[in-house]
Amino acid sequence: MRADRVFAYGATAGLLGDLILGDPRRGHPVAVFGRAAGAVERMLWRDHRGWGALHTAVCAGGAVALSAAATRLVRPSAAASVALTAAATWAVVGGTSLAREARTIGRSLETGDIEGARERLPHLCGRDPQALDADGIARAVVESVAENTSDAVVGALVWGAMGGVPGLVGFRAVNTLDAMVGHKSARYRRYGWASARLDDAAGWPGARLTAVLATLTGGDPRGAVRAWRDDAGKHPSPNAGPVEASFAGALGVRLGGTLSYGGRVEHRPVLNQKGRSVEVQDIERAVRLSRRVGLLALGVGVAGRAGVRAAGRVLAAAKGRVS
């Protein structure tokens, strides 16, 4: 079976698996990778960029190598190739868990259970929940839904379309390493530098596709374009900026502003200044937009891979006629 069809069938099955089943309660492959990466860190950690780069190479490179070996092993069987792609897609895509966590917090806020929402928020993002009121929690949830639509869904599908199973697994490995060591704490400022920079590079195409699709499918395309153009570059993250700005414009809300992480206060620029404050009902709107973006990203990936193959055939035919 052609590689583009393997990806189309496998990625579709894997995304449907995520929609129906979500993440497993125990033994998630990403959690297994995280434990292995933690063991490597305990052996390699030094307050030095070079040692951090080695950690990134060992962990991400090892994940890609293993997935490439598995791909070669099953290549003679079309059914096994599709099954492997489906399993990898299901393992690395986290859209259902993202939606579930966001909606759980939203329900707590709707019933006035702010303490319950605060208790649940760390499952979704790293904000300090005690510093947030109901609207602040809702804003944090919407921002996390936007950013994780790119990180947990679209980015993986983009790399899967470009690189098959190794692309899927490699992207999730890099993204997981960034979450583990890529933040600017005293321990990881140097050691996590390589993971953070590699994650920025790997996330670039998925973030832009997420922003484009949010603009096209949101409620206010012009507002999304305006917010993306005017505000994305103000965000400290080169990838979260376009995603959060386009979501803000599409939903007609303001994102950004003062945030608190681990006792550290950050004053970030406001995204979509013309929008209104986030309200609890905007959580569900953000989740629905995230769902649409994820499904369209699959379509773009499938069409893109098929288009590249078709273009290659046309070029080969043209070259044959010339020669």
Side-chain angles (χ1 to χ4, degrees):
M1 184 182 292
R2 299 194 323 242
D4 58 324
R5 291 184 177 177
V6 168
F7 174 74
Y9 299 153
T12 300
L15 193 61
L16 286 174
D18 176 66
L19 289 172
I20 295 170
L21 303 173
D23 292 332
R25 298 290 183 181
R26 297 179 180 178
H28 195 293
V30 175
V32 174
F33 171 81
R35 288 194 291 272
V40 174
E41 179 191 342
R42 288 191 291 274
M43 290 187 293
L44 295 181
W45 188 90
R46 306 287 190 283
D47 190 17
H48 190 276
R49 285 185 176 183
W51 286 95
L54 178 61
H55 174 250
T56 302
V58 168
C59 296
V64 170
L66 286 173
S67 59
T71 300
R72 286 194 297 271
L73 183 65
V74 303
R75 187 169 293 160
S77 169
S81 296
V82 171
L84 178 63
T85 303
T89 302
W90 168 76
V92 305
V93 168
T96 294
S97 293
L98 173 64
R100 183 182 297 148
E101 291 295 341
R103 283 170 167 157
T104 297
I105 296 171
R107 285 193 293 270
S108 294
L109 293 175
E110 287 171 354
T111 60
D113 183 11
I114 296 180
E115 287 305 316
R118 286 173 176 155
E119 182 178 346
R120 198 70 190 176
L121 186 63
H123 290 81
L124 190 63
C125 64
R127 307 284 176 85
D128 293 333
Q130 298 304 320
L132 299 173
D133 59 11
D135 288 345
I137 294 172
R139 191 190 77 190
V141 171
V142 171
E143 290 173 353
S144 295
V145 168
E147 184 173 2
N148 284 294
T149 298
S150 176
D151 288 345
V153 183
V154 180
L157 293 173
V158 167
W159 280 97
M162 292 192 291
V165 171
L168 286 163
V169 173
F171 176 81
R172 176 55 61 223
V174 169
N175 192 249
T176 302
L177 288 174
D178 178 63
M180 294 177 67
V181 304
H183 44 89
K184 295 180 179 180
S185 65
R187 177 177 174 85
Y188 296 123
R189 188 173 300 276
R190 294 185 180 88
Y191 188 82
W193 178 86
S195 291
R197 298 291 76 75
L198 184 57
D199 182 67
D200 286 343
W204 196 96
R208 273 70 193 170
L209 179 59
T210 301
V212 168
L213 296 178
T215 297
L216 294 176
T217 62
D220 186 359
R222 289 185 179 180
V225 169
R226 182 183 62 247
W228 183 1
R229 180 194 63 212
D230 294 345
D231 300 330
K234 302 174 185 176
H235 197 286
S237 168
N239 294 328
V243 172
E244 291 186 19
S246 62
F247 262 70
L251 297 172
V253 299
R254 293 193 305 272
L255 299 179
T258 301
L259 313 173
S260 178
Y261 289 94
R264 185 183 74 255
V265 176
E266 295 184 16
H267 299 285
R268 293 185 178 177
V270 173
L271 307 176
N272 192 34
Q273 188 73 249
K274 295 183 178 181
R276 57 173 173 78
S277 299
V278 176
E279 300 173 354
V280 174
Q281 60 266 29
D282 293 316
I283 293 176
E284 180 63 27
R285 296 176 64 223
V287 168
R288 291 179 180 177
L289 178 57
S290 174
R291 287 289 201 200
R292 293 195 297 270
V293 168
L295 291 173
L296 284 173
L298 173 63
V300 170
V302 169
R305 185 147 188 168
V308 168
R309 182 180 184 278
R313 294 179 62 186
V314 169
L315 290 173
K319 184 179 180 180
R321 288 194 297 270
V322 170
S323 61

